[in-house]
Amino acid sequence: MSMNNAPNVFLDPNANRFQVNIINEDHDNTETAQEDVGSDPPHYEETSFTDETHNRLRISYRPGKRELYDNFRQNGEKTEASLHPYDTHSKMYYLQTFGHNTMDPVPKIDYYRNTGSVSGNKLNRPSLLEIHEQLAKNIAVSTGSVERVANGESSAGDETAASKEEENKTGFVKFGWVKGVLVRCMLNIWGVMLFIRLSWIVGQAGIGLGIIVIALSVVVTTLTGISMSAICTNGVVRGGGAYYLISRSLGPEFGGSIGLIFAFANAVAVAMYVVGFAETVVELLKESDTLMVDESNDIRIIGTITVVCLLGISVAGMEWEAKAQVILLIVLLVAIVNFFIGTVIPTNTEKKARGFFNYQASIFAENFGPDFRSGEGFFSVFAIFFPAATGILAGANISGDLKDPQSAIPQGTMLAILITTIAYIAVAICAASCVVRDATGNVNDTIVPGMSCNGSSACGLGYDFSRCASQPCDYGLMNNFQVMSMVSGFGPLITAGIFSATLSSALASLVSAPKVFQALCKDNVYKGLEFFAKGYGKNNEPIRGYVLTFAIAMAFILIAELNTIAPIISNFFLASYALINFSCFHASYAKSPGWRPAFRYYNMWVSLFGALLCCGVMFVINWWAALITYAIELFLYIYVTYKKPEVNWGSSTQALYFVNALDSALALTTVEDHVKNFRPQCLALTGAPMVRPALLDITHAFTKNNGLCICCEVYTGPRKLCVKEMNSGMEKKQAWLTKNKRKAFYAAVAADSFRDGVKSLLQASGLGRMKPNTLVIGFKKDWRSAPATQVENYVGIIHDAFDFELGVIIIRISQGFDISQVLQVQEELEKLEQERLALEATIKENDFEEGKRGICGFFKKASTLNISKHETKGNTINTIQSMHVGEFNQRLLEASTQFKKKQGKGTIDIWWLFDDGGLTILIPYILTIRKKWKNCKLRIFTGGKVNRIEEEKLVMASLLSKFRIKFADINIICDINIKPNKESWKFFEEMIEPYRLHESCKDMPTAEKLKRETPWKITDAELEAFKEKSYRQVRLNELLQEHSRAANLIVLSLPVARKGAVSDYLYMAWLEILSKNLPPVLMVRGNHKNVLTFYS
């Protein structure tokens, strides 16, 4: 292998700190060569993704090497050759990074993208396995894309290039922060309130309180803007505006609920703004006496025409809409400037009679204080003004159409709030400094010498408006909504400003609603709305959403009852603001390492204050509208929570779940265990949970909402394959538990043997106090045919559990637990069905694509399709028959679901023969408080003496009553220790015969040799030593057959085999004979520590 540059990389004083050299290796080590382009690679000095929107990878070159690199780029990057680690060629190329040969890629942003990223495709770096394992000799790459290998890019790079090329072809339109955010926000915030209500507000509240009203509104929007800036700069923002920000921060429940009502609010806002525009037009028509029908119908006609025109602009594309917005902003700015110019133009007699006197200190002083009238107060005036401050989300709502939403939304929104606030305050102060509160409009109401006046500022300026105190006047700040038109230099420009404000707000809402709704539908939070997710054209325009918004707006324009719904719409917007603030607080409070906003000027407690302030303002504006908003949001939240959309956005809610769980687990470690709080925490050896569902079901029955349940699986075999299989199945099996509503965890280990794996699980499973205290396993039905090592492992697991002081529950059902055969059949059927569907799809695709053949070709294809259907169905039936899915599998399937069914009236028989701390009695008690088992009564069986039956009953009844455990009957069994009948004993002897050593029948050397060769066999000495115990197990089965044959469930004290004394096969024979031919049996043995207490 040739490594021309490798030895000298760190010796070269001009060598770059970071290099990627291309190394060529011949497999036979007979030829060595190196690409010239690899000798002097580019130096990657700095990569920035936050400073500027157009940052690119900055590359510097060694002197004289620019041409080589350009040639390399032309020959490498632009080729169609793809790169795959398993392509086989005669030569192999490695990478030389930091002077070493390695497959390790250098850091690159494309590794961190989401799948389907619009700004570039996600690339896959080499896996840890590929780097960790020995490099295979057949791994090679093509020479055409060496640079892409150096950056760790695989074949996904071709897709990236293709997507970028497609993007360039289609002319994808993106907006900067000025046109995309600043212009929209300013237009949306500056509404008709600026021209027709601000003068009235400052007249009611005065300059001082008026500025406070404006400032309080701005505090709400500024706090929301700060929170929104923090969220926007914490990662790439896609389309969806407020919905996207809230859903990605708080999860689909909050995002889905607010997204729907926010989109609806924007749709209705279109109608509100259009009606405002139509009313102004109708007023002009009325003045000129040119009404078409009547006022209300004219509003509907003009509103309809306006919405149709706005829809045409929107559907034409975002570029046209943006141009229209710029024109409207210019008109609006001219109108505002026109007002300020008018305040300094000397007034005339007519305007003086209407209360306008240019800037006067006396008017400023008089209007500084409040003068609330007609039942108005500070909060009512605030409620009227606040909607004028909204509109800060206009830029965020088209986040998908911005070049760099992360920087554009904070910059544009905050600057728009600043500019519009200055404008509002300036207009309020100027209007209140020039115009008196009341004026008659009569030019003859001047003061003549000797006339007394009320001492108002108008008196000092030569006018007497004192009669306005006793009778209504038509002019002044309090009475005339057209003050700005009167004050301005050219009145019609104010009318144009009103038109601009209403139309721009309507246009912004008409664009926002479909964009937000499209993002909501794409996420499929509401299953029935996928139809509106489709986009059209180069900007992925939501045409269907536009039509829906148009329909909603038209409906409300025709209804024309907007005064009722306007407060609800304002509250919908405020609910969005509140959740944006809460999102920022919640993300900060959760302390997730992923919360790293580039915008630093925020504080979690300030965001929380902003959220509470928004909620308070909702009630100030309209309390019943606030209640309706909360009710709708709560309903949608519950709906989305119930439906559980399959999304994972890494929300702060998930982060807080983790923090709370961690805190609770740590707090639990400081609490000493107490017998009153004991609960079964089970480690169930189910393997894959779907393979032994009945074992999981019965375990889940006494752990659900009560204790810990861990479904465990042990992988044995070659470690590499085991780990790969284990890792690939973890999420799938946990998802199965969740889907089947099993409150359990899945855990798996890879080990050299089954017993070693279980040992690891017994010792390491759980967390803190949440550790298993009970092992649950199924009875090994095939112990007589299984290899001796398997039996040894099975019994060894029981010994290990007792060694680690865990209780043991062995469960036996007649059909066994393993339904892998049934699952295999189902899997085969599913594969066949998928193949059939794929075949049909292929035929249909060919059918429609090859329509050039005409009608004959179509019918020919149709007949082929029908034939294929019949053939596939026939193959499916034959396959099923060949699999012999017969009565056995049917019984097995029924047995696997027996614990899912509700148990009818019956009994749970408890054979509490040995005191194990109370686990034998606690498990069946927990079962009886479950819905499926509540109709079953407890019957207690225990041993006793013949001459003390009644006393024993009383003692047991007293004990159970102290434990507060209800029972139906107590039976004292006096004949447990008598010998079983001959047939039963004979069956037991025949069962253990193949596993006996029979050393007494052989000479000593032979016997010793057999013991060494088959140490697992049952010796005669062992059988004799435990003959009484064997008798007891056989006799117990007879008693169980006699008393508990009809029970729904039998719970029985598990016999304990003394380690080193009882052989594995003898112990398995005990368990076999004890539980044979019975209903489901739970053989239970606690760890001999109290799990029950009668103390309070």
Side-chain angles (χ1 to χ4, degrees):
M1 180 173 68
S2 173
M3 294 177 57
N4 298 341
N5 288 340
N8 302 317
V9 167
F10 295 110
L11 300 177
D12 183 0
N14 297 317
N16 298 317
R17 181 184 64 81
F18 167 69
Q19 297 188 58
V20 178
N21 290 349
I22 301 93
I23 306 301
N24 182 355
E25 180 182 9
D26 187 293
H27 293 317
D28 300 325
N29 292 325
T30 57
E31 294 181 10
T32 60
Q34 181 176 358
E35 296 286 339
D36 292 338
V37 296
S39 60
D40 290 291
H43 177 200
Y44 294 78
E45 286 183 331
E46 180 182 354
T47 304
S48 174
F49 305 106
T50 55
D51 295 337
E52 298 177 321
T53 58
H54 295 289
N55 268 345
R56 294 292 182 268
L57 198 62
R58 285 185 254 171
I59 304 173
S60 66
Y61 308 88
R62 293 186 183 180
K65 298 301 180 182
R66 175 66 183 254
E67 295 79 8
L68 284 175
Y69 183 72
D70 288 341
N71 182 58
F72 169 75
R73 295 270 299 192
Q74 292 169 5
N75 295 332
E77 189 179 59
K78 294 186 180 179
T79 60
E80 293 298 316
S82 62
L83 193 51
H84 196 283
Y86 300 106
D87 291 342
T88 304
H89 299 278
S90 59
K91 310 268 183 174
M92 187 196 319
Y93 290 87
Y94 297 108
L95 303 177
Q96 189 182 40
T97 308
F98 303 112
H100 296 283
N101 293 337
T102 179
M103 286 183 67
D104 264 351
V106 298
K108 185 173 183 179
I109 193 172
D110 293 321
Y111 296 130
Y112 300 91
R113 296 190 192 280
N114 286 337
T115 304
S117 172
V118 294
S119 56
N121 281 25
K122 175 181 174 60
L123 306 184
N124 295 318
R125 67 177 65 81
S127 68
L128 186 61
L129 189 67
E130 291 171 341
I131 295 173
H132 187 224
E133 294 292 331
Q134 186 176 0
L135 189 65
K137 279 293 182 181
N138 64 341
I139 295 180
V141 298
S142 62
T143 59
S145 298
V146 183
E147 187 216 24
R148 288 159 62 184
V149 187
N151 292 290
E153 184 175 342
S154 63
S155 56
D158 297 313
E159 298 172 11
T160 305
S163 68
K164 287 182 180 178
E165 186 180 347
E166 183 67 21
E167 186 174 299
N168 293 332
K169 283 181 183 178
T170 55
F172 199 60
V173 178
K174 294 283 187 178
F175 302 112
W177 71 274
V178 175
K179 190 185 285 189
V181 182
L182 180 65
V183 170
R184 291 172 191 281
C185 287
M186 288 171 62
L187 282 169
N188 232 25
I189 295 171
W190 278 332
V192 291
M193 199 71 68
L194 174 66
F195 297 103
I196 63 176
R197 284 291 186 276
L198 190 56
S199 57
W200 177 87
I201 287 166
V202 78
Q204 289 276 357
I207 295 173
L209 284 183
I211 291 174
I212 292 176
V213 165
I214 296 171
L216 184 57
S217 302
V218 171
V219 165
V220 174
T221 56
T222 302
L223 293 180
T224 306
I226 290 171
S227 298
M228 183 170 64
S229 299
I231 298 171
C232 287
T233 57
N234 190 54
V236 175
V237 178
R238 294 185 182 173
Y243 159 72
Y244 185 89
L245 299 179
I246 294 169
S247 62
R248 268 47 175 189
S249 295
L250 292 178
E253 296 84 6
F254 281 106
S257 58
I258 203 65
L260 198 59
I261 64 175
F262 185 72
F264 177 77
N266 273 287
V268 178
V270 175
M272 285 173 43
Y273 295 129
V274 167
V275 167
F277 167 77
E279 285 177 349
T280 308
V281 175
V282 168
E283 284 294 324
L284 295 175
L285 294 176
K286 190 177 176 182
E287 288 176 9
S288 59
D289 197 24
T290 54
L291 288 175
M292 292 177 280
V293 185
D294 54 54
E295 286 189 40
S296 59
N297 282 315
D298 280 12
I299 289 173
R300 292 187 177 99
I301 293 168
I302 294 169
T304 301
I305 295 170
T306 305
V307 171
V308 171
C309 293
L310 293 177
L311 180 66
I313 294 172
S314 302
V315 171
M318 289 294 294
E319 201 169 0
W320 283 97
E321 188 266 349
K323 290 175 182 176
Q325 292 280 27
V326 171
I327 294 170
L328 292 172
L329 178 63
I330 292 170
V331 174
L332 193 58
L333 289 172
V334 170
I336 294 172
V337 171
N338 175 50
F339 165 77
F340 288 120
I341 292 173
T343 60
V344 296
I345 295 175
T347 185
N348 55 36
T349 304
E350 183 183 356
K351 288 187 177 182
K352 284 183 179 180
R354 295 183 178 183
F356 173 50
F357 296 95
N358 294 114
Y359 292 105
Q360 301 292 336
S362 59
I363 296 177
F364 179 88
E366 184 181 74
N367 289 341
F368 191 83
D371 185 16
F372 294 113
R373 301 178 191 175
S374 304
E376 299 292 349
F378 177 80
F379 287 109
S380 63
V381 170
F382 172 79
I384 291 170
F385 173 77
F386 183 79
T390 59
I392 62 171
L393 295 179
N397 287 339
I398 63 158
S399 53
D401 296 294
L402 300 175
K403 289 178 183 175
D404 184 8
Q406 289 177 272
S407 62
I409 293 174
Q411 286 180 26
T413 304
M414 300 307 291
L415 186 57
I417 292 172
L418 177 64
I419 294 172
T420 53
T421 302
I422 293 171
Y424 274 129
I425 293 175
V427 169
I429 293 174
C430 290
S433 302
C434 299
V435 184
V436 295
R437 280 193 168 103
D438 297 291
T440 60
N442 189 344
V443 295
N444 297 320
D445 285 343
T446 55
I447 296 176
V448 295
M451 178 186 282
S452 62
C453 192
N454 59 3
S456 66
S457 59
C459 293
L461 296 170
Y463 280 81
D464 180 18
F465 299 142
S466 57
R467 65 189 175 92
C468 291
S470 58
Q471 66 183 54
C473 293
D474 294 330
Y475 296 98
L477 293 175
M478 304 289 280
N479 310 304
N480 183 14
F481 290 152
Q482 302 297 328
V483 165
M484 285 191 72
S485 294
M486 178 190 69
V487 172
S488 66
F490 183 60
L493 276 178
I494 299 299
T495 304
I498 294 172
F499 288 172
S500 174
T502 52
L503 291 176
S504 62
S505 297
L507 193 56
S509 297
L510 185 58
V511 170
S512 297
K515 293 282 185 182
V516 172
F517 193 58
Q518 183 186 36
L520 179 69
C521 297
K522 276 184 177 178
D523 289 336
N524 203 19
V525 175
Y526 299 99
K527 298 293 183 184
L529 301 178
E530 302 95 333
F531 176 78
F532 296 98
K534 184 174 175 57
Y536 297 87
K538 59 187 179 182
N539 266 41
N540 196 33
E541 295 291 346
I543 303 297
R544 296 172 179 177
Y546 282 131
V547 173
L548 179 63
T549 304
F550 171 77
I552 294 171
M554 281 299 302
F556 281 97
I557 288 170
L558 296 176
I559 292 170
E561 289 292 335
L562 294 178
N563 289 337
T564 305
I565 201 166
I568 300 177
I569 301 307
S570 297
N571 275 285
F572 280 0
F573 286 124
L574 271 168
S576 304
Y577 295 174
L579 279 179
I580 287 173
N581 281 299
F582 184 71
S583 298
C584 183
F585 162 76
H586 201 268
S588 304
Y589 183 74
K591 296 183 178 67
S592 171
W595 174 248
R596 302 183 302 276
F599 184 85
R600 297 295 180 186
Y601 307 105
Y602 75 95
N603 180 276
M604 59 186 272
W605 300 112
V606 172
S607 295
L608 179 62
F609 172 72
L612 297 175
L613 195 60
C614 289
C615 295
V617 170
M618 290 172 69
F619 282 95
V620 167
I621 290 178
N622 192 300
W623 65 268
W624 58 264
L627 291 177
I628 290 173
T629 303
Y630 285 130
I632 294 173
E633 190 173 338
L634 181 63
F635 169 77
L636 293 173
Y637 178 88
I638 293 170
Y639 173 82
V640 177
T641 304
Y642 175 75
K643 288 295 183 181
K644 288 187 175 65
E646 295 179 0
V647 294
N648 182 14
W649 295 324
S651 65
S652 60
T653 306
Q654 295 173 329
L656 198 61
Y657 283 160
F658 180 85
V659 171
N660 291 339
L662 186 61
D663 290 343
S664 299
L666 289 170
L668 197 61
T669 59
T670 63
V671 179
E672 291 293 329
D673 288 334
H674 194 281
V675 64
K676 285 197 295 184
N677 292 324
F678 176 86
R679 57 197 66 220
Q681 303 197 114
C682 298
L683 191 148
L685 297 183
T686 58
M690 62 284 289
V691 171
R692 294 177 179 82
L695 182 60
L696 174 59
D697 290 337
I698 189 64
T699 307
H700 191 252
F702 51 80
T703 59
K704 180 185 178 184
N705 298 328
N706 191 54
L708 179 70
C709 179
I710 305 177
C711 299
C712 298
E713 185 171 10
V714 178
Y715 289 86
T716 58
R719 187 176 187 82
K720 184 177 177 181
L721 294 176
C722 287
V723 170
K724 185 178 179 181
E725 185 182 356
M726 180 179 71
N727 291 339
S728 63
M730 292 283 281
E731 288 186 9
K732 177 185 173 184
K733 288 162 186 174
Q734 185 64 56
W736 185 91
L737 290 170
T738 305
K739 182 181 177 183
N740 288 273
K741 298 180 180 178
R742 296 292 176 264
K743 295 186 177 181
F745 298 96
Y746 172 77
V749 293
D752 295 332
S753 70
F754 182 66
R755 184 177 180 181
D756 287 342
V758 176
K759 269 186 185 178
S760 301
L761 290 166
L762 291 172
Q763 295 176 85
S765 295
L767 185 69
R769 297 285 181 196
M770 294 185 294
K771 293 190 69 174
N773 54 31
T774 307
L775 174 68
V776 180
I777 56 176
F779 178 72
K780 187 171 180 60
K781 279 187 65 179
D782 64 343
W783 65 275
R784 283 187 278 183
S785 58
T789 52
Q790 288 188 14
V791 177
E792 182 185 358
N793 282 337
Y794 182 82
V795 177
I797 287 166
I798 300 172
H799 288 309
D800 294 336
F802 289 143
D803 287 343
F804 297 129
E805 296 190 339
L806 272 72
V808 175
I809 301 176
I810 301 177
I811 306 174
R812 181 174 186 179
I813 58 176
S814 58
Q815 298 298 325
F817 292 106
D818 192 345
I819 63 165
S820 54
Q821 285 182 330
V822 177
L823 294 178
Q824 188 177 358
V825 170
Q826 290 178 350
E827 188 177 348
E828 291 294 331
L829 291 176
E830 286 174 5
K831 284 182 181 178
L832 288 169
E833 180 66 13
Q834 288 174 0
E835 289 174 4
R836 185 182 68 80
L837 293 174
L839 180 61
E840 288 183 6
T842 304
I843 293 172
K844 286 180 181 178
E845 185 179 348
N846 293 336
D847 178 17
F848 291 109
E849 285 184 357
E850 297 178 10
K852 297 176 182 177
R853 299 182 180 180
I855 194 70
C856 297
F858 177 82
F859 283 115
K860 184 178 179 181
K861 285 284 181 183
S863 63
T864 307
L865 178 62
N866 290 331
I867 292 168
S868 69
K869 280 184 180 179
H870 292 305
E871 287 179 353
T872 308
K873 287 179 181 176
N875 289 338
T876 304
I877 294 168
N878 291 335
T879 306
I880 295 171
Q881 290 174 348
S882 67
M883 289 179 180
H884 303 291
V885 184
E887 190 177 338
F888 172 75
N889 277 350
Q890 185 60 34
R891 291 202 311 269
L892 186 61
L893 198 59
E894 288 176 0
S896 70
T897 60
Q898 62 181 306
F899 297 124
K900 290 181 181 176
K901 300 171 186 173
K902 187 171 183 178
Q903 306 293 318
K905 289 186 177 180
T907 63
I908 298 177
D909 287 0
I910 306 169
W911 290 70
W912 196 11
L913 305 176
F914 309 105
D915 194 328
D916 59 352
L919 188 64
T920 306
I921 202 79
L922 180 63
I923 294 295
Y925 165 74
I926 294 173
L927 287 176
T928 57
I929 62 177
R930 302 299 186 195
K931 190 190 301 183
K932 291 185 176 67
W933 294 86
K934 67 179 182 180
N935 293 328
C936 294
K937 305 295 183 184
L938 297 183
R939 293 199 306 171
I940 313 299
F941 294 83
T942 188
K945 297 180 180 178
V946 178
N947 56 351
R948 287 178 52 85
I949 291 178
E950 293 304 320
E951 291 86 342
E952 298 280 2
K953 276 189 178 183
L954 289 174
V955 169
M956 180 57 69
S958 173
L959 179 62
L960 293 174
S961 63
K962 285 183 178 181
F963 289 147
R964 285 109 38 219
I965 292 176
K966 294 181 180 179
F967 56 90
D969 192 17
I970 295 177
N971 293 276
I972 306 299
I973 307 299
C974 306
D975 51 352
I976 293 177
N977 289 325
I978 67 172
K979 285 186 179 181
N981 63 48
K982 291 181 179 179
E983 291 79 9
S984 301
W985 181 249
K986 184 179 179 182
F987 175 84
F988 179 77
E989 287 186 320
E990 288 175 353
M991 181 171 60
I992 64 172
E993 179 61 31
Y995 316 106
R996 290 187 61 182
L997 191 63
H998 290 295
E999 78 279 8
S1000 58
C1001 303
K1002 300 176 177 64
D1003 57 71
M1004 185 67 69
T1006 305
E1008 290 298 326
K1009 182 181 178 184
L1010 286 173
K1011 281 183 182 180
R1012 288 194 300 272
E1013 291 175 352
T1014 54
W1016 44 268
K1017 284 199 171 184
I1018 306 169
T1019 64
D1020 294 341
E1022 176 194 352
L1023 192 61
E1024 187 62 33
F1026 294 102
K1027 194 166 191 176
E1028 292 298 325
K1029 205 164 186 177
S1030 300
Y1031 280 157
R1032 187 190 306 153
Q1033 314 311 323
V1034 180
R1035 175 60 183 158
L1036 275 173
N1037 182 259
E1038 293 177 350
L1039 294 170
L1040 287 164
Q1041 298 284 353
E1042 180 183 345
H1043 295 282
S1044 300
R1045 183 77 179 178
N1048 294 52
L1049 182 71
I1050 299 172
V1051 181
L1052 173 67
S1053 291
L1054 174 70
V1056 177
R1058 197 172 292 278
K1059 277 200 304 183
V1062 179
S1063 64
D1064 299 335
Y1065 276 93
L1066 180 59
Y1067 185 60
M1068 289 304 300
W1070 287 353
L1071 300 183
E1072 173 74 34
I1073 197 65
L1074 188 60
S1075 57
K1076 188 173 179 61
N1077 297 329
L1078 290 171
V1081 178
L1082 270 67
M1083 293 177 276
V1084 180
R1085 175 67 68 156
N1087 62 358
H1088 286 242
K1089 294 179 181 178
N1090 289 348
V1091 300
L1092 296 172
T1093 181
F1094 49 83
Y1095 295 107
S1096 60

